[in-house]
Amino acid sequence: MAAVPPSYADLGKSARDIFSKGYGFGLVKLELKTKSSSGVEFTTTGSSNTETGKASGNLETKYKMKDLGLTYTQKWNTDNTLGVEVAMEDQLAKGLKLTFDTTFVPNTGKKSGKIKTGYKRDYINLGCDVDLDLAGPTIHSSAVIGYEGWLAGYQMAFDTAKSKLVQNNFALGYKAGDFQLHTNVNDGT
């Protein structure tokens, strides 16, 4: 049976998680999740570095309108960054996800925006994100194909202001049951 391969960012994630997930040496972390009767999801996270004493926190609210295929997400963190994301999935075409993501830092007035697209079907996972920068957007794209456990992926970033390829990555992997092998070449190194 055919399956949708992971996104490029998730290639080899299981192996990376062995060394990073749940092993926060010097960190104390807390995550709380709940869901209201109206369907709004709340996630609160906090962490404290025991060596430096620096603490940080995040609050996220998510509301899904399933009949329209829309998800509205608001985020705030203790660095005083506000974020809003609106995503539409499986409405224009099955497997297609369109997202508009914005952030705003009230202290500095800095604003950013990104348009993200993703398309997932059997054997293929494609993605393309465009930073909304008036000086010249950066285009990030990736593709992963998978067949019978084998995975191959390519990721690139193109800076339109400089007309230059700023990221050029390739990955190859194999996944079967409890076994996973992954290798990648980033920017030719």
Side-chain angles (χ1 to χ4, degrees), residues 81-104:
T81 301
L82 306 169
V84 173
E85 180 180 282
V86 179
M88 180 175 62
E89 193 166 3
D90 292 331
Q91 294 299 302
L92 299 175
K94 185 177 180 190
L96 179 65
K97 181 176 182 179
L98 303 173
T99 305
F100 180 63
D101 190 4
T102 62
T103 59
F104 174 62

Side-chain angles (χ1 to χ4, degrees), residues 50-72:
T50 57
E51 291 180 20
T52 64
K54 183 177 180 184
S56 64
N58 299 299
L59 172 64
E60 178 180 300
T61 60
K62 186 181 287 189
Y63 181 69
K64 295 181 181 181
M65 294 170 261
K66 293 182 183 178
D67 54 329
L68 299 174
L70 291 173
T71 303
Y72 178 76

Side-chain angles (χ1 to χ4, degrees), residues 54-59 76-82 104-108:
K54 183 177 180 184
S56 64
N58 299 299
L59 172 64
W76 173 81
N77 66 35
T78 51
D79 291 333
N80 206 23
T81 301
L82 306 169
F104 174 62
V105 182
N107 297 348
T108 62

Side-chain angles (χ1 to χ4, degrees), residues 109-122:
K110 182 180 177 186
K111 302 171 197 152
S112 67
K114 190 180 277 192
I115 295 174
K116 303 176 183 180
T117 60
Y119 183 69
K120 298 185 232 179
R121 296 297 297 210
D122 292 345

Side-chain angles (χ1 to χ4, degrees), residues 127-142:
C128 184
D129 304 345
V130 178
D131 295 332
L132 300 177
D133 184 356
L134 297 179
T138 301
I139 301 167
H140 304 266
S141 64
S142 64

Side-chain angles (χ1 to χ4, degrees), residues 4-77:
V4 176
S7 67
Y8 188 89
D10 289 340
L11 287 175
K13 185 177 183 307
S14 299
R16 286 191 305 273
D17 284 352
I18 289 173
F19 299 107
S20 63
K21 199 167 188 175
Y23 295 101
F25 295 109
L27 288 177
V28 177
K29 295 180 181 181
L30 178 66
E31 180 178 76
L32 303 169
K33 291 184 177 188
T34 189
K35 190 174 186 176
S36 72
S37 59
S38 62
V40 179
E41 299 173 20
F42 296 92
T43 304
T44 304
T45 60
S47 66
S48 177
N49 186 317
T50 57
E51 291 180 20
T52 64
K54 183 177 180 184
S56 64
N58 299 299
L59 172 64
E60 178 180 300
T61 60
K62 186 181 287 189
Y63 181 69
K64 295 181 181 181
M65 294 170 261
K66 293 182 183 178
D67 54 329
L68 299 174
L70 291 173
T71 303
Y72 178 76
T73 307
Q74 290 181 305
K75 299 176 185 178
W76 173 81
N77 66 35

